[in-house]
Amino acid sequence: MGWYPGATRMELQPESDAQPAIRPTQFIVHSIVAPWTPKRTYEYWRDSTNLESHFGLGYDGSLGQYIGTHTRADATGAANRRPDGTGAVSLESASNLEASDPWTAEQVETLIQLGVWLHQTEGIPLRICRTADDPGFGYHRQFSEWNPDGHSCPGDARVRQFKEVVFPGIVARAAGQIPEEDDMPTAAEVAREVLTLDGIISVPGAPATNPTWTLSSVQTEILKRIDAVAKTEAAQTAAITKLAGLVGSGVDTAAVVAAV
């Protein structure tokens, strides 16, 4: 039970059959601190550790599922399974080796689609968890009960994305405000285009170093550049005013500045 049709099934055994059942009430996202595909994550769970997540997400948005959502997975501390039988659905996502990069646009889209499915099929409520036991959506470091080792998973950039893009996207999609098949570009796609247009705004290396610019990132960049232009203009005006003043007392300084 609890197999997501949008994921490739890569069932872990004996865990899938041997571990106890849960009633899923939370969805908690992680970064695996490795640029792995879902298949490589499956191999790691199978061969190298007794831990595992329900899902593995690649940079390209590909998704693998290793255990059904009604079976315990062991990635999230006390949230794996509680005494009352409730537990969390967990997802590990590909990241760089420092877990400092943002999710790609493709990863964001898959997270939103999966979040909507979990809401619709498992009844996970559309809210960010308020406590460690509260049903809803969350990220690994959010509560110490989920993260007893105290690490930063899924990383600062992804926590911001979770709050500003992923969770609002799940809510909007679940409410029917954004059709699943939509020809409109995403915010990340608009941002990338704006930041790489010749002659408008060029950020050298932006697509490679930050492939998921959000609209707020674009706005911040634009404001920085407008401010720089304003400072340059103010300096030029001051220089022109000073030059006009040196011409002679009979010169209308304001008129000279305005003319220039």
Side-chain angles (χ1 to χ4, degrees):
M1 296 176 64
W3 293 93
Y4 175 48
T8 300
R9 184 164 173 168
M10 307 176 188
E11 190 168 1
L12 283 169
Q13 289 293 356
E15 293 87 348
S16 186
D17 290 337
Q19 293 182 174
I22 63 168
R23 178 170 60 85
T25 58
Q26 297 170 324
F27 178 41
I28 301 174
V29 294
H30 303 241
S31 290
I32 202 165
V33 199
W36 288 348
T37 65
K39 184 175 185 295
R40 177 66 185 90
T41 300
Y42 164 76
E43 292 168 347
Y44 177 70
W45 293 148
R46 183 192 65 192
D47 302 333
S48 303
T49 179
N50 60 355
L51 301 178
E52 71 284 318
S53 59
H54 290 93
F55 294 94
L57 175 62
Y59 272 130
D60 61 356
S62 58
L63 189 67
Q65 184 172 359
Y66 316 121
I67 292 181
T69 57
H70 293 179
T71 300
R72 188 196 75 200
D74 295 328
T76 322
N80 296 332
R81 188 180 188 276
R82 302 182 182 87
D84 65 358
T86 63
V89 174
S90 53
L91 176 144
E92 290 281 2
S93 52
S95 71
N96 63 23
L97 298 180
E98 294 76 35
S100 61
D101 56 341
W103 285 305
T104 65
E106 293 80 6
Q107 286 177 307
V108 167
E109 176 59 25
T110 297
L111 287 169
I112 290 173
Q113 291 182 9
L114 177 58
V116 171
W117 182 80
L118 288 168
H119 166 67
Q120 293 174 342
T121 61
E122 307 291 2
I124 295 178
L126 295 174
R127 64 171 179 251
I128 294 177
C129 299
R130 299 164 295 187
T131 67
D133 296 340
D134 186 42
F137 293 77
Y139 48 90
H140 193 194
R141 79 183 195 196
Q142 190 173 351
F143 297 105
S144 59
E145 293 92 335
W146 301 353
N147 179 25
D149 294 331
H151 48 62
S152 64
C153 175
D156 293 344
R158 295 185 179 191
V159 168
R160 286 193 298 271
Q161 279 181 301
F162 176 84
K163 293 177 179 178
E164 298 174 3
V165 181
V166 173
F167 179 70
I170 292 170
V171 173
R173 189 78 58 83
Q177 297 175 13
I178 303 175
E180 291 200 25
E181 296 296 331
D182 191 344
D183 292 332
M184 291 295 291
T186 66
E189 290 168 343
V190 172
R192 282 200 301 272
E193 291 300 319
V194 171
L195 288 170
T196 55
L197 282 175
D198 291 336
I200 298 179
I201 298 177
S202 178
V203 179
T209 59
N210 189 358
T212 55
W213 284 81
T214 63
L215 287 180
S216 60
S217 300
V218 177
Q219 292 165 348
T220 299
E221 186 67 23
I222 290 172
L223 290 174
K224 286 180 181 178
R225 291 169 187 251
I226 290 174
D227 185 58
V229 170
K231 289 179 180 178
T232 300
E233 182 180 356
Q236 291 173 340
T237 300
I240 292 168
T241 301
K242 182 176 180 180
L243 289 171
L246 294 174
V247 172
S249 59
V251 176
D252 185 342
T253 300
V256 172
V257 172
V260 172

